[in-house]
């Protein structure tokens, strides 16, 4: 099975929450799945519980440990900044080509019946290094994209911009998941209806906090 790239319209829209929900749904459907979030910013090595790598490991049913966290997110940085800036804070340089090579190697090592979910850091155009962006990573993987958007005010513009960028790169958009943003309007289903009307026939799916991705939703995204 191909790699699936989980991208976001921006930072803190719920990519890891959605990735974990997809992983759990695939496992429940008895579909083999693995995951990789190669780059993670805002990671505190003294308190890894609740971090993005730990959440993904838990969704996969794997206990997190130093080795497991290293395998899930080989490039981890403390500062909650774009990856190259976070790396620079630590006197390091992030090499986007090395990230791409690792993702391709890990995906290629899986059997043909196993999905590999690769989760980006930040938005679809967030920097991967001082030259490449997360979109370049998706292009090099030639992976279909699930785009995660929030339901906050302004998300329609951000989502339409991101979908235009993805289309310009000639990547397949498998679907859009609107992850419920907490603490403010508009209601998620109003946002969903607006985006669905503008982006048909691309599947646009709502995922409320605490919600699950069902078997029909997996099918709509082309995952089963």
């Amino acid at each position: 099975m191909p790699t699936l790239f989980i991208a976001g319209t921006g930072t803190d829209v719920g990519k890891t929450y959605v990735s974990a929900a997809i992983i759990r749904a695939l496992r429940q459907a008895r579909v083999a799945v693995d995951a990789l979030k190669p780059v993670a910013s805002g990671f505190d090595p003294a308190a890894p519980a609740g971090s993005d790598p730990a959440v993904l490991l838990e969704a996969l049913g794997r206990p997190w440990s130093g080795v497991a966290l290293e395998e899930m997110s080989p490039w981890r940085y403390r500062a909650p900044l774009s990856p190259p800036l976070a790396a620079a804070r630590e006197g390091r340089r992030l090499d986007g080509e090395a990230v791409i090579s690792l993702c391709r190697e890990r995906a290629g090592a899986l059997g043909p019946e196993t999905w590999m979910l690769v989760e980006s850091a930040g938005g679809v155009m967030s920097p991967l290094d001082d030259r490449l962006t997360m979109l370049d990573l998706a292009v090099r993987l030639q992976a279909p994209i699930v785009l995660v958007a929030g339901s906050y005010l302004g998300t329609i513009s951000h989502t339409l911009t991101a979908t235009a960028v993805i289309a310009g790169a000639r990547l397949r958009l498998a679907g859009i998941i609107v992850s419920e943003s907490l603490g403010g309007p508009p209601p998620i289903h109003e946002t969903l209806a607006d985006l669905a009307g503008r982006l048909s026939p691309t599947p646009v799916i709502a995922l409320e906090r605490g919600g699950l991705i069902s078997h029909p939703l997996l099918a709509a995204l082309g995952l089963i």
Side-chain angles (χ1 to χ4, degrees), residues 42-58 64-65 69:
F43 179 84
D44 183 354
S51 66
D52 289 353
V55 168
L56 295 175
L57 286 167
E58 289 167 2
W64 51 266
S65 63
L69 291 168

Side-chain angles (χ1 to χ4, degrees), residues 64-172:
W64 51 266
S65 63
V67 172
L69 291 168
E70 173 70 21
E71 290 179 348
M72 177 61 69
S73 298
W75 290 270
R76 305 182 304 283
Y77 306 105
R78 290 176 178 268
L81 301 170
S82 70
L85 291 180
R89 285 277 184 97
E90 299 178 18
R92 300 157 67 189
R93 179 183 176 277
L94 179 56
D95 182 353
E97 292 291 345
V99 175
I100 292 166
S101 294
L102 177 76
C103 291
R104 296 176 70 174
E105 177 184 335
R106 291 277 292 274
L110 298 177
E113 301 302 319
T114 301
W115 276 104
M116 169 59 86
L117 270 64
V118 176
E119 183 188 325
S120 73
V124 69
M125 290 298 291
S126 290
L128 175 59
D129 63 13
D130 55 8
R131 180 177 62 89
L132 301 172
T133 68
M134 294 297 162
L135 183 69
D136 292 308
L137 174 56
V139 168
R140 296 283 289 277
L141 294 175
Q142 279 300 292
I145 292 179
V146 168
L147 180 65
V148 180
S151 62
Y152 55 85
L153 184 63
T155 195
I156 293 172
S157 175
H158 296 164
T159 303
L160 295 177
T161 300
T163 57
V165 166
I166 291 167
R170 298 186 178 181
L171 290 171
R172 184 170 72 85

